[in-house]
Amino acid sequence: MMYDYLIVGAGLFGATFAYRASRQGKRCLVIDKRPHLGGNVYCEQVEGINVHKYGAHIFHTSNQEVWQFVNHIVPFNRYTNSPVANYQGRLYNLPFNMNTFYQMWGVITPDEAQRMIEAQKQEAQHQLNGGEPSNLEEQALTLVGRDIYEKLIKGYTEKQWGRPCKELPAFIIKRLPVRMVFDNNYFNDSYQGIPIGGYNKLIDGLLEGVETRTNTDFFADRNYWEGVAEKIVFTGKIDEFFDYRFGQLEYRTVNFEQQTLDTPNYQGNAVVNYTEAQVPYTRIIEHKHFEMFGQQVYDVPRTVISREYSMEWKPGMEPYYPINDERNNQLAEQYRQLAHDCPNVIFGGRLAEYRYYDMAPIVEKVLKMKIE
């Protein structure tokens, strides 16, 4: 065996594992079928701007160990995620807070806002006649009422999942943050930010001194790759690893329409969600706002935006989000049982575990792993 670990996939899980294993003296090889390292956190430089090629990635955590670890690799900036929702040309702050309620109803005190929400929640609960919500629409109406649901949840959610809210399970939206304060910070975590210089700096730091190969597909010569290392760390699709034995898992994917514009500041914010169903894209990302603040925005004369279109995944597309409905969850559990019987393979990440993960929990999971 030439290596202790073959790591299939150079995303955050694979790169963090390679960092830890190599520093314990393990011989690691990281391969990725894409032409670059970094997986979905990869950034491309356009007009001096780090463009998040596979969608916005905002690192946030309350775990001090995780925060110190990533900042040890590359310092992070002070970016605070404060998205805005655009509904029929009117703007609303997210998450739902006193700014949102003022924009929605003109209320200026928490008591006024609470009364508006409670009245609409009671109406929704009355419609259920004592029953439990059976779908996402009913669940949302009982949590925040009709006005917020119709303007800020319904259209966006249906675009994201490609299904009417009445056909989506209630558990998808069991909790909705409602803040009775004027606070537009989307996350409740203690720490958040973007690596200074972009996510490529983080990945390059994690993989420094580790052998890597891009444009290399594990499945194109599986027999060879399974023979080069004592153990495999697999971060691809778990159903593909087992040759789709029980059938294919389903995913949502995202198509990005990127534009470079002759203006230094297109929308004044990194993230603007478009929540009405008639607008085909879910949001517009203006990438420079992740790393440029104040006058820095105008020091770079052009800007880059990406419109995001959510759609059903098909073979040949990049899978992004697992679809956590009953059918897929049962199928995924069958594959996880097969994974338990593979002592020399470590399955990690969104695709290999068929679970939705933010970045920080991925890092935390790898930091807790015992590497032998």
Side-chain angles (χ1 to χ4, degrees):
M1 296 289 184
M2 292 181 281
Y3 304 96
D4 296 302
Y5 288 99
L6 171 71
I7 300 163
V8 182
L12 192 58
F13 188 102
T16 305
F17 188 96
Y19 176 89
R20 285 202 60 218
S22 65
R23 274 148 187 78
Q24 293 182 32
K26 305 298 183 183
R27 299 162 299 163
C28 298
L29 171 64
V30 179
I31 65 172
D32 199 293
K33 65 181 180 181
R34 292 178 179 173
H36 58 72
L37 304 172
N40 284 359
V41 304
Y42 171 74
C43 294
E44 179 184 58
Q45 272 247 334
V46 181
E47 300 287 338
I49 300 162
N50 287 311
V51 174
H52 296 209
K53 290 295 290 183
Y54 302 96
H57 284 79
I58 301 148
F59 201 97
H60 58 99
T61 183
S62 290
N63 185 318
Q64 189 176 31
E65 180 189 5
V66 169
W67 185 246
Q68 289 176 341
F69 172 78
V70 293
N71 276 268
H72 166 71
I73 304 297
V74 56
F76 278 56
N77 68 19
R78 56 84 169 169
Y79 174 79
T80 300
N81 190 29
S82 302
V84 173
N86 183 315
Y87 178 79
Q88 296 184 349
R90 295 184 62 86
L91 300 180
Y92 300 87
N93 288 105
L94 299 174
F96 310 137
N97 68 77
M98 283 301 299
N99 288 306
T100 321
F101 309 141
Y102 174 73
Q103 292 150 353
M104 184 77 65
W105 301 306
V107 297
I108 59 174
T109 68
D111 282 346
E112 290 176 304
Q114 193 70 58
R115 284 198 297 271
M116 290 291 293
I117 293 171
E118 286 301 321
Q120 294 192 14
K121 285 170 60 175
Q122 287 179 15
E123 179 185 336
Q125 288 160 353
H126 177 72
Q127 294 290 326
L128 290 176
N129 197 26
E132 289 295 315
S134 62
N135 57 56
L136 188 148
E137 178 170 296
E138 291 177 352
Q139 183 71 73
L141 289 171
T142 60
L143 290 172
V144 292
R146 185 160 298 278
D147 287 348
I148 293 174
Y149 169 71
E150 293 283 357
K151 293 182 179 179
L152 303 182
I153 298 173
K154 185 176 188 294
Y156 186 89
T157 303
E158 291 183 345
K159 288 187 290 187
Q160 189 140 28
W161 290 99
R163 295 158 176 78
C165 286
K166 289 182 179 179
E167 295 179 10
L168 291 168
F171 70 79
I172 289 178
I173 204 164
K174 275 291 185 186
R175 282 181 63 254
L176 281 172
V178 175
R179 298 179 183 166
M180 292 298 162
V181 291
F182 291 89
D183 179 9
N184 299 323
N185 183 353
Y186 194 81
F187 300 122
N188 290 315
D189 289 301
S190 304
Y191 313 103
Q192 64 180 299
I194 306 287
I196 294 173
Y199 279 98
N200 294 0
K201 297 272 189 184
L202 175 62
I203 297 299
D204 290 346
L206 290 170
L207 293 176
E208 185 178 359
V210 177
E211 185 178 347
T212 62
R213 299 185 197 178
T214 55
N215 294 304
T216 303
D217 187 349
F218 172 79
F219 294 104
D221 195 356
R222 180 170 182 165
N223 288 337
Y224 170 76
W225 291 116
E226 288 184 331
V228 302
E230 297 285 347
K231 293 186 177 182
I232 294 173
V233 177
F234 184 77
T235 69
K237 296 193 302 165
I238 189 171
D239 54 347
E240 185 176 16
F241 186 89
F242 292 109
D243 296 320
Y244 306 106
R245 187 178 307 180
F246 305 122
Q248 287 196 6
L249 290 162
E250 296 175 300
Y251 303 86
R252 295 293 291 173
T253 190
V254 183
N255 185 44
F256 302 96
E257 184 184 87
Q258 186 176 311
Q259 276 186 292
T260 301
L261 303 175
D262 287 317
T263 179
N265 191 359
Y266 175 72
Q267 63 186 17
N269 204 44
V271 183
V272 177
N273 293 352
Y274 285 78
T275 59
E276 60 186 290
Q278 289 72 19
V279 177
Y281 42 86
T282 54
R283 62 184 185 175
I284 295 179
I285 304 298
E286 187 170 10
H287 299 270
K288 66 168 29 179
H289 294 294
F290 290 126
E291 297 185 64
M292 300 178 189
F293 311 103
Q295 183 56 42
Q296 291 176 314
V297 172
Y298 293 91
D299 291 339
V300 176
R302 305 181 84 193
T303 195
V304 180
I305 65 169
S306 297
R307 292 180 179 86
E308 297 187 4
Y309 298 81
S310 182
M311 58 187 62
E312 209 77 18
W313 175 85
K314 295 179 182 178
M317 297 178 172
E318 290 292 343
Y320 279 83
Y321 305 105
I323 297 177
N324 295 126
D325 59 16
E326 187 175 349
R327 181 256 177 195
N328 283 290
N329 286 338
Q330 289 178 353
L331 191 57
E333 189 54 38
Q334 288 181 276
Y335 283 118
R336 292 185 198 114
Q337 290 302 317
L338 289 181
H340 287 316
D341 297 328
C342 298
N344 292 326
V345 183
I346 296 167
F347 294 85
R350 281 188 189 184
L351 303 182
E353 298 180 58
Y354 201 73
R355 291 190 172 99
Y356 181 86
Y357 281 110
D358 280 326
M359 290 180 287
I362 285 285
V363 174
E364 182 177 356
K365 183 169 186 172
V366 179
L367 292 182
K368 288 181 177 177
M369 292 176 72
K370 186 176 181 181
I371 298 175
E372 299 175 333

